[in-house]
Short mmCIF file of all heavy atoms in Angstrom, two decimals:
data_model
loop_
_atom_site.label_atom_id
_atom_site.label_comp_id
_atom_site.label_asym_id
_atom_site.label_seq_id
_atom_site.Cartn_x
_atom_site.Cartn_y
_atom_site.Cartn_z
N LEU Q 1 -5.71 203.24 89.58
CA LEU Q 1 -4.90 204.26 88.91
C LEU Q 1 -5.78 205.23 88.12
O LEU Q 1 -5.27 206.00 87.30
CB LEU Q 1 -3.89 203.58 87.97
CG LEU Q 1 -2.79 202.75 88.64
CD1 LEU Q 1 -1.99 201.97 87.60
CD2 LEU Q 1 -1.86 203.65 89.46
N ASP Q 2 -7.11 205.15 88.37
CA ASP Q 2 -8.11 206.01 87.71
C ASP Q 2 -8.14 205.80 86.21
O ASP Q 2 -8.54 206.69 85.45
CB ASP Q 2 -7.82 207.50 88.02
CG ASP Q 2 -8.05 207.81 89.49
OD1 ASP Q 2 -8.89 207.12 90.12
OD2 ASP Q 2 -7.37 208.71 90.02
N MET Q 3 -7.75 204.60 85.76
CA MET Q 3 -7.88 204.24 84.34
C MET Q 3 -9.09 203.32 84.22
O MET Q 3 -8.99 202.13 83.93
CB MET Q 3 -6.60 203.56 83.86
CG MET Q 3 -5.37 204.44 83.99
SD MET Q 3 -3.83 203.60 83.58
CE MET Q 3 -4.07 203.32 81.83
N HIS Q 4 -10.26 203.91 84.45
CA HIS Q 4 -11.48 203.13 84.56
C HIS Q 4 -11.90 202.52 83.24
O HIS Q 4 -12.47 201.41 83.21
CB HIS Q 4 -12.61 204.01 85.11
CG HIS Q 4 -12.29 204.58 86.46
ND1 HIS Q 4 -12.19 203.80 87.59
CD2 HIS Q 4 -12.03 205.87 86.85
CE1 HIS Q 4 -11.90 204.57 88.64
NE2 HIS Q 4 -11.79 205.84 88.20
N GLY Q 5 -11.66 203.18 82.16
CA GLY Q 5 -12.00 202.61 80.86
C GLY Q 5 -11.21 201.34 80.58
O GLY Q 5 -11.75 200.32 80.15
N ARG Q 6 -9.91 201.43 80.82
CA ARG Q 6 -9.06 200.26 80.66
C ARG Q 6 -9.49 199.15 81.61
O ARG Q 6 -9.54 197.97 81.24
CB ARG Q 6 -7.60 200.65 80.93
CG ARG Q 6 -6.59 199.52 80.88
CD ARG Q 6 -6.42 198.98 79.50
NE ARG Q 6 -5.34 198.01 79.42
CZ ARG Q 6 -5.17 197.18 78.43
NH1 ARG Q 6 -6.01 197.19 77.40
NH2 ARG Q 6 -4.16 196.34 78.42
N ALA Q 7 -9.83 199.50 82.83
CA ALA Q 7 -10.27 198.52 83.81
C ALA Q 7 -11.57 197.85 83.36
O ALA Q 7 -11.72 196.63 83.46
CB ALA Q 7 -10.46 199.18 85.17
N ALA Q 8 -12.51 198.66 82.81
CA ALA Q 8 -13.78 198.09 82.37
C ALA Q 8 -13.56 197.09 81.24
O ALA Q 8 -14.18 196.01 81.21
CB ALA Q 8 -14.71 199.21 81.91
N VAL Q 9 -12.70 197.44 80.29
CA VAL Q 9 -12.41 196.52 79.19
C VAL Q 9 -11.81 195.23 79.70
O VAL Q 9 -12.19 194.12 79.28
CB VAL Q 9 -11.47 197.19 78.17
CG1 VAL Q 9 -11.01 196.18 77.13
CG2 VAL Q 9 -12.16 198.37 77.50
N LEU Q 10 -10.87 195.32 80.65
CA LEU Q 10 -10.22 194.12 81.18
C LEU Q 10 -11.19 193.28 82.03
O LEU Q 10 -11.10 192.05 82.03
CB LEU Q 10 -9.00 194.50 82.01
CG LEU Q 10 -7.82 195.05 81.20
CD1 LEU Q 10 -6.71 195.53 82.12
CD2 LEU Q 10 -7.28 193.99 80.25
N TYR Q 11 -12.09 193.94 82.72
CA TYR Q 11 -13.12 193.18 83.43
C TYR Q 11 -14.00 192.42 82.44
O TYR Q 11 -14.41 191.27 82.69
CB TYR Q 11 -13.98 194.11 84.28
CG TYR Q 11 -13.38 194.44 85.64
CD1 TYR Q 11 -13.21 195.77 86.05
CD2 TYR Q 11 -12.99 193.43 86.51
CE1 TYR Q 11 -12.67 196.08 87.29
CE2 TYR Q 11 -12.44 193.73 87.76
CZ TYR Q 11 -12.28 195.06 88.14
OH TYR Q 11 -11.74 195.36 89.36
N GLY Q 12 -14.29 193.06 81.32
CA GLY Q 12 -15.06 192.37 80.28
C GLY Q 12 -14.30 191.18 79.73
O GLY Q 12 -14.89 190.10 79.51
N ASN Q 13 -12.99 191.36 79.51
CA ASN Q 13 -12.18 190.23 79.05
C ASN Q 13 -12.15 189.10 80.09
O ASN Q 13 -12.17 187.92 79.74
CB ASN Q 13 -10.75 190.68 78.77
CG ASN Q 13 -10.67 191.64 77.60
OD1 ASN Q 13 -11.58 191.69 76.77
ND2 ASN Q 13 -9.59 192.42 77.53
N ALA Q 14 -12.11 189.50 81.36
CA ALA Q 14 -12.13 188.49 82.43
C ALA Q 14 -13.44 187.72 82.42
O ALA Q 14 -13.46 186.49 82.58
CB ALA Q 14 -11.90 189.15 83.78
N LEU Q 15 -14.55 188.44 82.20
CA LEU Q 15 -15.84 187.76 82.13
C LEU Q 15 -15.87 186.77 80.98
O LEU Q 15 -16.40 185.66 81.11
CB LEU Q 15 -16.96 188.79 81.97
CG LEU Q 15 -17.40 189.50 83.26
CD1 LEU Q 15 -18.37 190.63 82.94
CD2 LEU Q 15 -18.05 188.50 84.22
N ASP Q 16 -15.32 187.17 79.84
CA ASP Q 16 -15.27 186.25 78.70
C ASP Q 16 -14.43 185.02 79.04
O ASP Q 16 -14.81 183.88 78.72
CB ASP Q 16 -14.68 186.96 77.47
CG ASP Q 16 -15.57 188.07 76.96
OD1 ASP Q 16 -16.79 188.03 77.27
OD2 ASP Q 16 -15.07 188.98 76.28
N ALA Q 17 -13.27 185.25 79.66
CA ALA Q 17 -12.41 184.13 80.05
C ALA Q 17 -13.10 183.22 81.06
O ALA Q 17 -13.02 181.99 80.97
CB ALA Q 17 -11.09 184.65 80.61
N PHE Q 18 -13.79 183.84 82.03
CA PHE Q 18 -14.51 183.04 83.02
C PHE Q 18 -15.64 182.24 82.36
O PHE Q 18 -15.92 181.10 82.75
CB PHE Q 18 -15.08 183.93 84.12
CG PHE Q 18 -14.02 184.56 84.99
CD1 PHE Q 18 -14.22 185.81 85.56
CD2 PHE Q 18 -12.83 183.90 85.25
CE1 PHE Q 18 -13.24 186.39 86.36
CE2 PHE Q 18 -11.85 184.47 86.05
CZ PHE Q 18 -12.06 185.72 86.60
N GLY Q 19 -16.29 182.84 81.37
CA GLY Q 19 -17.34 182.12 80.66
C GLY Q 19 -16.80 180.91 79.93
O GLY Q 19 -17.40 179.81 79.98
N VAL Q 20 -15.68 181.09 79.24
CA VAL Q 20 -15.05 179.96 78.56
C VAL Q 20 -14.62 178.90 79.56
O VAL Q 20 -14.81 177.69 79.34
CB VAL Q 20 -13.84 180.45 77.73
CG1 VAL Q 20 -13.07 179.27 77.18
CG2 VAL Q 20 -14.30 181.37 76.62
N GLU Q 21 -14.07 179.35 80.67
CA GLU Q 21 -13.60 178.41 81.70
C GLU Q 21 -14.78 177.64 82.30
O GLU Q 21 -14.68 176.43 82.54
CB GLU Q 21 -12.86 179.17 82.79
CG GLU Q 21 -12.22 178.30 83.86
CD GLU Q 21 -11.08 177.46 83.34
OE1 GLU Q 21 -10.61 177.72 82.20
OE2 GLU Q 21 -10.67 176.53 84.04
N LYS Q 22 -15.87 178.33 82.53
CA LYS Q 22 -17.04 177.67 83.10
C LYS Q 22 -17.60 176.64 82.12
O LYS Q 22 -18.02 175.54 82.52
CB LYS Q 22 -18.11 178.71 83.44
CG LYS Q 22 -19.29 178.13 84.22
CD LYS Q 22 -20.22 179.24 84.67
CE LYS Q 22 -21.41 178.67 85.45
NZ LYS Q 22 -22.32 179.74 85.91
N GLN Q 23 -17.60 176.99 80.84
CA GLN Q 23 -18.05 176.04 79.83
C GLN Q 23 -17.15 174.81 79.80
O GLN Q 23 -17.61 173.68 79.67
CB GLN Q 23 -18.07 176.72 78.46
CG GLN Q 23 -18.66 175.84 77.35
CD GLN Q 23 -18.74 176.58 76.03
OE1 GLN Q 23 -18.39 177.75 75.94
NE2 GLN Q 23 -19.19 175.87 75.00
N ARG Q 24 -15.85 175.04 79.93
CA ARG Q 24 -14.91 173.92 79.99
C ARG Q 24 -15.19 173.04 81.21
O ARG Q 24 -15.14 171.81 81.12
CB ARG Q 24 -13.48 174.44 80.07
CG ARG Q 24 -12.85 174.74 78.72
CD ARG Q 24 -11.37 174.98 78.91
NE ARG Q 24 -10.66 175.03 77.65
CZ ARG Q 24 -9.34 175.06 77.54
NH1 ARG Q 24 -8.60 175.03 78.62
NH2 ARG Q 24 -8.76 175.10 76.35
N LEU Q 25 -15.42 173.69 82.34
CA LEU Q 25 -15.69 172.93 83.55
C LEU Q 25 -16.94 172.08 83.39
O LEU Q 25 -16.95 170.90 83.78
CB LEU Q 25 -15.85 173.89 84.74
CG LEU Q 25 -14.55 174.52 85.26
CD1 LEU Q 25 -14.86 175.68 86.18
CD2 LEU Q 25 -13.71 173.48 86.00
N ASN Q 26 -17.99 172.65 82.83
CA ASN Q 26 -19.22 171.88 82.62
C ASN Q 26 -18.98 170.71 81.67
O ASN Q 26 -19.47 169.60 81.89
CB ASN Q 26 -20.32 172.80 82.06
CG ASN Q 26 -20.82 173.79 83.09
OD1 ASN Q 26 -20.82 173.50 84.29
ND2 ASN Q 26 -21.23 174.96 82.65
N SER Q 27 -18.20 170.97 80.61
CA SER Q 27 -17.89 169.89 79.65
C SER Q 27 -17.07 168.80 80.33
O SER Q 27 -17.29 167.60 80.10
CB SER Q 27 -17.13 170.44 78.45
OG SER Q 27 -17.89 171.42 77.77
N SER Q 28 -16.12 169.20 81.17
CA SER Q 28 -15.29 168.23 81.87
C SER Q 28 -16.12 167.39 82.84
O SER Q 28 -15.96 166.17 82.90
CB SER Q 28 -14.16 168.93 82.62
OG SER Q 28 -13.28 169.56 81.72
N ILE Q 29 -16.98 168.04 83.59
CA ILE Q 29 -17.83 167.31 84.54
C ILE Q 29 -18.71 166.31 83.80
O ILE Q 29 -18.84 165.14 84.21
CB ILE Q 29 -18.68 168.30 85.36
CG1 ILE Q 29 -17.78 169.13 86.29
CG2 ILE Q 29 -19.73 167.56 86.17
CD1 ILE Q 29 -18.50 170.25 87.01
N GLU Q 30 -19.30 166.74 82.70
CA GLU Q 30 -20.17 165.85 81.93
C GLU Q 30 -19.38 164.69 81.33
O GLU Q 30 -19.82 163.53 81.34
CB GLU Q 30 -20.85 166.64 80.82
CG GLU Q 30 -21.88 165.85 80.02
CD GLU Q 30 -23.07 165.40 80.86
OE1 GLU Q 30 -23.35 166.08 81.88
OE2 GLU Q 30 -23.69 164.39 80.51
N SER Q 31 -18.19 164.99 80.83
CA SER Q 31 -17.36 163.95 80.23
C SER Q 31 -16.91 162.93 81.27
O SER Q 31 -16.89 161.73 81.00
CB SER Q 31 -16.14 164.59 79.55
OG SER Q 31 -15.33 163.61 78.95
N ILE Q 32 -16.56 163.41 82.46
CA ILE Q 32 -16.15 162.49 83.53
C ILE Q 32 -17.32 161.61 83.94
O ILE Q 32 -17.16 160.40 84.17
CB ILE Q 32 -15.59 163.28 84.72
CG1 ILE Q 32 -14.26 163.94 84.33
CG2 ILE Q 32 -15.39 162.38 85.93
CD1 ILE Q 32 -13.71 164.88 85.38
N ARG Q 33 -18.50 162.18 84.02
CA ARG Q 33 -19.68 161.39 84.39
C ARG Q 33 -20.00 160.33 83.35
O ARG Q 33 -20.53 159.26 83.68
CB ARG Q 33 -20.88 162.32 84.56
CG ARG Q 33 -20.86 163.09 85.88
CD ARG Q 33 -21.98 164.09 85.95
NE ARG Q 33 -22.06 164.71 87.28
CZ ARG Q 33 -22.75 165.82 87.56
NH1 ARG Q 33 -23.43 166.42 86.57
NH2 ARG Q 33 -22.76 166.31 88.77
N ASN Q 34 -19.64 160.59 82.10
CA ASN Q 34 -19.89 159.62 81.03
C ASN Q 34 -18.81 158.55 80.94
O ASN Q 34 -18.86 157.68 80.06
CB ASN Q 34 -20.00 160.35 79.68
CG ASN Q 34 -21.23 161.23 79.60
OD1 ASN Q 34 -22.22 160.99 80.29
ND2 ASN Q 34 -21.18 162.26 78.78
N GLY Q 35 -17.80 158.61 81.82
CA GLY Q 35 -16.77 157.59 81.85
C GLY Q 35 -15.61 157.80 80.91
O GLY Q 35 -14.74 156.93 80.76
N ASN Q 36 -15.54 158.95 80.25
CA ASN Q 36 -14.46 159.20 79.30
C ASN Q 36 -13.12 159.41 79.99
O ASN Q 36 -12.06 159.21 79.39
CB ASN Q 36 -14.78 160.42 78.44
CG ASN Q 36 -15.99 160.19 77.56
OD1 ASN Q 36 -16.25 159.06 77.14
ND2 ASN Q 36 -16.76 161.24 77.30
N PHE Q 37 -13.16 159.83 81.26
CA PHE Q 37 -11.92 160.08 81.99
C PHE Q 37 -11.08 158.81 82.09
O PHE Q 37 -9.87 158.81 81.83
CB PHE Q 37 -12.25 160.63 83.37
CG PHE Q 37 -11.05 160.84 84.24
CD1 PHE Q 37 -10.21 161.91 84.05
CD2 PHE Q 37 -10.75 159.95 85.27
CE1 PHE Q 37 -9.09 162.11 84.84
CE2 PHE Q 37 -9.64 160.15 86.07
CZ PHE Q 37 -8.82 161.23 85.86
N PHE Q 38 -11.74 157.69 82.43
CA PHE Q 38 -10.99 156.45 82.61
C PHE Q 38 -10.57 155.84 81.28
O PHE Q 38 -9.56 155.14 81.22
CB PHE Q 38 -11.82 155.46 83.43
CG PHE Q 38 -12.13 155.96 84.81
CD1 PHE Q 38 -13.41 156.31 85.17
CD2 PHE Q 38 -11.12 156.11 85.73
CE1 PHE Q 38 -13.70 156.78 86.43
CE2 PHE Q 38 -11.39 156.58 87.00
CZ PHE Q 38 -12.68 156.92 87.35
N LYS Q 39 -11.33 156.12 80.23
CA LYS Q 39 -10.90 155.66 78.91
C LYS Q 39 -9.59 156.33 78.52
O LYS Q 39 -8.73 155.71 77.89
CB LYS Q 39 -11.97 155.96 77.87
CG LYS Q 39 -13.25 155.15 78.06
CD LYS Q 39 -14.29 155.51 77.01
CE LYS Q 39 -15.58 154.74 77.23
NZ LYS Q 39 -16.62 155.12 76.24
N ALA Q 40 -9.44 157.59 78.90
CA ALA Q 40 -8.19 158.31 78.60
C ALA Q 40 -7.06 157.81 79.48
O ALA Q 40 -5.90 157.75 79.05
CB ALA Q 40 -8.38 159.81 78.79
#
């Protein structure tokens, strides 16, 4: 829609969200490897 500024900001927000999500995934993988999954 040629609203490139708005698009750039939202892409930045998406990158932040993906970063948080990736950190969660890494934490989850590490926690599962440590056996915490079955304790829960």
Side-chain angles (χ1 to χ4, degrees):
L1 293 172
D2 293 332
M3 300 174 67
H4 301 292
R6 177 67 173 165
V9 172
L10 290 174
Y11 277 127
N13 294 340
L15 280 172
D16 294 339
F18 292 149
V20 172
E21 185 68 13
K22 188 173 180 179
Q23 186 177 357
R24 274 191 170 189
L25 286 166
N26 289 329
S27 299
S28 295
I29 292 172
E30 185 64 26
S31 181
I32 292 173
R33 283 175 173 165
N34 293 335
N36 295 328
F37 176 76
F38 298 111
K39 292 179 182 178

